[in-house]
Amino acid sequence: MRNRSAASAAFFCCGVLAAMPTLAAHQPPPSPRSAPTSVPTLLERMSDALRTLNYKGSFVYLHDNALEAMQVVHRADGEGGQERLTSLTGPLREVVRRHKTVECILPRKRLVVVNQYRSHSRFPMIMPSGSDIQSLGKHYRFLHLGHQRTAGRNCVVVALQPKDDYRYGYRLWLDAKSSLLLRSELIGTDGKPMDRVMFTHIEMPDTIPADAIKPTVDSSGFARRPHDPGANSVPLGVGVKIKVGTLPPGFTMTVNESQHLKSIDAPVRHLVFTDGLASLSVFAAPYTTGKDVLRGLSQRGSVNAYGRVLDGYQITVVGDVPAKTVELVAQSVQLADREEKSAKPDSGDKDP
């Protein structure tokens, strides 16, 4: 990441489960066709397919000039599904999700990291449903781009083109028979693909045995780093309260919580905003004079972050959104109990 301090790196959530996109970049995108009204229905079918279908296969993930290959086994059930992802390139890693719990197994470090599952951080992606998909039309143009083959299967290609430059666009290849997402691209403000993911092989069996989700890596003897919501979260009224003065159209708050981080004594405020597709996080952590923190803009692939110091707090905004979006939001943050003071212009270039 360019111009990023070690401290700010912790706020970047990078990994294959949050991906979007293609390997065959030399193929020109299909020409637009009519019938944009059918796109919301296609998108809803796509999300239904993810929740109801069993599938297994391999996909490639191209991001930040790096190429990764993963194997996935997904078992649908009535409780949100289970899946196992195994890296096929680079250091061996395995991610096993059982409903609301995610285990990341890192053999090199002899470590298992346990976390909570967030439905937006995965490939294939889950879309909003029903009227929420229709509401995306306020901020994205729906385009039907015809048909192309992916992983040997015929696909319907659709695009979500942003109506402003505060969010990225999306190009999606949906299996014509099942509507499962087989390929996707995250489109930058210059109209070029950024992150890319594509299945190279996929099967959709009627059943997948429970044993297929078990880790293939023997993690006995590995250290475990659990995510314990009861221990790490604190009551909402504890810690600094912040207010975001300016948001791009369509973004609404979905998370407002205080957390205890091991490296920080005082609670950290964490807010999440989304338009149904794009999302960004706002963090407010106590600042210590002389500490190496993010100031200004930092970028890693499609992920942008902006940091500033405000009245004794490090404000960091990070997300899969354009640079101008994280800067706009970061510069509008106020400390709720010091709004008059924090309303003064802050260049972010000096210590409090």
Side-chain angles (χ1 to χ4, degrees), residues 101-112:
T101 301
V102 179
E103 293 187 353
C104 183
I105 304 171
L106 308 171
R108 266 192 178 183
K109 298 182 178 181
R110 297 186 60 80
L111 176 67
V112 178

Side-chain angles (χ1 to χ4, degrees), residues 25-345:
H26 60 278
Q27 293 186 9
S31 300
R33 295 183 181 181
S34 57
T37 54
S38 66
V39 173
T41 300
L42 290 170
L43 297 177
E44 189 160 8
R45 290 175 182 171
M46 181 187 78
S47 287
D48 289 342
L50 178 61
R51 286 186 284 264
T52 59
L53 293 180
N54 298 310
Y55 58 87
K56 58 182 179 179
S58 301
F59 63 89
V60 290
Y61 173 32
L62 181 62
H63 64 109
D64 200 21
N65 295 320
L67 179 65
E68 298 183 55
M70 302 288 291
Q71 183 182 71
V72 60
V73 178
H74 175 85
R75 183 173 183 261
D77 59 26
E79 302 177 61
Q82 305 175 63
E83 60 198 6
R84 172 174 55 81
L85 293 99
T86 306
S87 63
L88 301 178
T89 55
L92 177 60
R93 292 150 294 150
E94 195 155 66
V95 178
V96 177
R97 179 178 70 85
R98 295 183 179 88
H99 307 127
K100 296 298 183 180
T101 301
V102 179
E103 293 187 353
C104 183
I105 304 171
L106 308 171
R108 266 192 178 183
K109 298 182 178 181
R110 297 186 60 80
L111 176 67
V112 178
V113 179
V114 184
N115 214 324
Q116 288 182 315
Y117 166 66
R118 293 183 182 272
S119 61
H120 65 270
S121 60
R122 67 183 302 166
F123 174 83
M125 63 193 290
I126 294 180
M127 299 286 296
S129 60
S131 60
D132 291 332
I133 287 183
Q134 294 289 347
S135 68
L136 291 175
K138 298 177 182 178
H139 311 291
Y140 296 89
R141 297 181 183 88
F142 296 138
L143 300 176
H144 194 297
L145 302 181
H147 293 75
Q148 280 188 353
R149 292 178 74 243
T150 290
R153 302 176 71 94
N154 185 37
C155 291
V156 179
V157 188
V158 300
L160 287 83
Q161 188 179 81
K163 294 182 178 180
D164 56 42
D165 53 2
Y166 289 111
R167 62 206 93 211
Y168 295 134
Y170 302 83
R171 193 176 295 147
L172 311 174
W173 281 251
L174 315 183
D175 180 49
K177 184 176 181 180
S178 68
S179 295
L180 188 67
L181 178 64
L182 300 186
R183 170 178 162 181
S184 68
E185 295 179 347
L186 184 66
I187 308 299
T189 53
D190 59 358
K192 298 179 180 179
M194 301 176 72
D195 293 349
R196 300 172 169 183
V197 180
M198 181 180 71
F199 273 104
T200 57
H201 169 75
I202 190 162
E203 301 174 29
M204 302 177 198
D206 291 335
T207 60
I208 289 181
D211 285 353
I213 306 301
K214 291 183 178 180
T216 62
V217 176
D218 181 6
S219 62
S220 57
F222 286 14
R224 293 180 68 86
R225 185 181 297 164
H227 173 88
D228 182 350
N232 291 338
S233 62
V234 296
L236 186 60
V238 176
V240 65
K241 300 179 180 65
I242 60 175
K243 174 183 177 182
V244 176
T246 305
L247 285 166
F251 279 79
T252 58
M253 184 166 61
T254 58
V255 173
N256 182 359
E257 61 186 9
S258 289
Q259 302 173 330
H260 271 307
L261 302 181
K262 291 183 178 180
S263 58
I264 301 175
D265 293 335
V268 174
R269 180 67 64 173
H270 178 210
L271 278 60
V272 177
F273 299 88
T274 181
D275 68 355
L277 279 180
S279 63
L280 58 87
S281 289
V282 181
F283 298 90
Y287 172 77
T288 301
T289 302
K291 185 179 179 180
D292 183 21
V293 296
L294 175 65
R295 297 175 186 269
L297 183 67
S298 184
Q299 182 181 22
R300 183 174 184 176
S302 62
V303 179
N304 283 288
Y306 192 94
R308 60 188 285 237
V309 175
L310 174 66
D311 289 348
Y313 285 87
Q314 166 69 17
I315 307 298
T316 305
V317 179
V318 59
D320 258 322
V321 292
K324 69 174 296 181
T325 307
V326 292
E327 180 173 5
L328 172 75
V329 174
Q331 292 291 359
S332 76
V333 172
Q334 298 177 344
L335 304 184
D337 55 348
R338 311 181 203 179
E339 290 182 9
E340 181 177 351
K341 180 178 180 181
S342 62
K344 297 178 182 179

